[in-house]
Amino acid sequence: IQNGAGATIATFVNTPKLVGGYFTLKKDIVDSETGTPISDLDTEFQFKVEVEGYEPYTITIKGNETYKSEKYKWYKGENAPMVKVTEIVEGLPEGCTPVQQEMSGQLVEEGEENNLALSFLAVNKYDPNRGTFKIRKVVLDEKMIDTSKEQEFNLRVKIDGFFISEDGESQNGALFNIKLKGGETYTSPELKWYGDKAPTVTVEEYDLPLGWQNIGISNNGASVTTDND
């Protein structure tokens, strides 16, 4: 450089690299007695989410669903934000309790080799309800009571709602036919369900024998009650 000539100066500016990651939250529900997973419920569960450096918010998911968060960012070389997830127990159905109400962990940089996203598994135990229902064929005309004991009547039984049958099969409703003679009573196998959404039972009489008339069915559409009720 000659004396008096202007010098050229290069300026280099480095900025830290911005990285990011997300978390997932899966909701599982199990039978409190057997530990068997329950996947047929439409119960909604709420969680309060607190991510370090961000405003808290609430999410809602159902059983067997997985929530994936937005991507949170931080500068490489800094500590990734901490995440705390708390299940909101107010409003949970009766008999449904979280195994662990509060969980926390640190976000993981997305794309890092062998690094998986931060994941939470929220498990709730559900206490089962059990009950049966009965259907009785009543003949009001005293003159026909003896005759009705030899006469079969056709009844169609419809169960609405989720339940588990006596053989352990999960069912979302059922439809079947039975036959009863006058004065007879049908007692269902034991049904098992969860929460306050008990299955309901509707009965329809069809193909009445000649000369017989149905004048009503009591408690039609009623909910199954527990054996203790």
Side-chain angles (χ1 to χ4, degrees), residues 19-197:
V19 296
Y22 61 91
F23 72 89
T24 62
L25 171 65
K26 186 176 186 297
K27 165 55 69 180
D28 279 357
I29 314 171
V30 299
D31 186 299
S32 64
E33 297 176 351
T34 65
T36 304
I38 308 168
S39 59
D40 299 74
L41 299 178
D42 60 358
T43 305
E44 292 186 334
F45 300 87
Q46 289 191 317
F47 294 85
K48 180 182 179 182
V49 178
E50 297 171 88
V51 181
E52 189 178 3
Y54 293 83
E55 287 294 321
Y57 61 94
T58 301
I59 62 173
T60 301
I61 59 175
K62 294 182 179 181
N64 209 36
E65 287 186 348
T66 299
Y67 167 83
K68 181 177 179 180
S69 76
E70 64 176 273
K71 188 173 182 179
Y72 296 96
K73 297 182 179 181
W74 64 94
Y75 289 109
K76 195 172 184 66
E78 295 182 349
N79 290 329
M82 296 293 296
V83 180
K84 183 169 77 170
V85 177
T86 306
E87 183 164 359
I88 300 172
V89 297
E90 290 80 6
L92 281 178
E94 184 178 354
C96 183
T97 55
V99 174
Q100 184 178 357
Q101 185 180 355
E102 185 178 298
M103 298 167 287
S104 61
Q106 190 171 30
L107 288 170
V108 178
E109 180 182 341
E110 186 179 21
E112 284 287 292
E113 186 177 359
N114 299 324
N115 279 348
L116 300 177
L118 172 64
S119 60
F120 299 105
L121 176 62
V123 180
N124 281 56
K125 289 185 176 181
Y126 235 137
D127 296 333
N129 299 305
R130 291 180 172 85
T132 58
F133 62 89
K134 295 183 178 182
I135 301 172
R136 179 172 172 78
K137 182 59 183 173
V138 177
V139 176
L140 298 179
D141 191 337
E142 293 183 0
K143 298 177 182 179
M144 301 299 294
I145 290 178
D146 289 339
T147 302
S148 71
K149 292 178 181 178
E150 303 301 323
Q151 177 67 63
E152 284 190 331
F153 299 88
N154 299 302
L155 301 170
R156 183 173 291 114
V157 183
K158 182 182 181 185
I159 304 176
D160 287 306
F162 169 82
F163 67 94
I164 298 175
S165 61
E166 210 167 34
D167 59 6
E169 181 183 355
S170 298
Q171 296 183 233
N172 193 6
L175 183 66
F176 58 94
N177 299 327
I178 61 172
K179 294 179 181 290
L180 289 179
K181 295 179 180 179
E184 287 186 339
T185 298
Y186 166 82
T187 301
S188 75
E190 184 179 74
L191 308 181
K192 184 165 76 170
W193 69 94
Y194 303 92
D196 52 7
K197 294 184 179 180

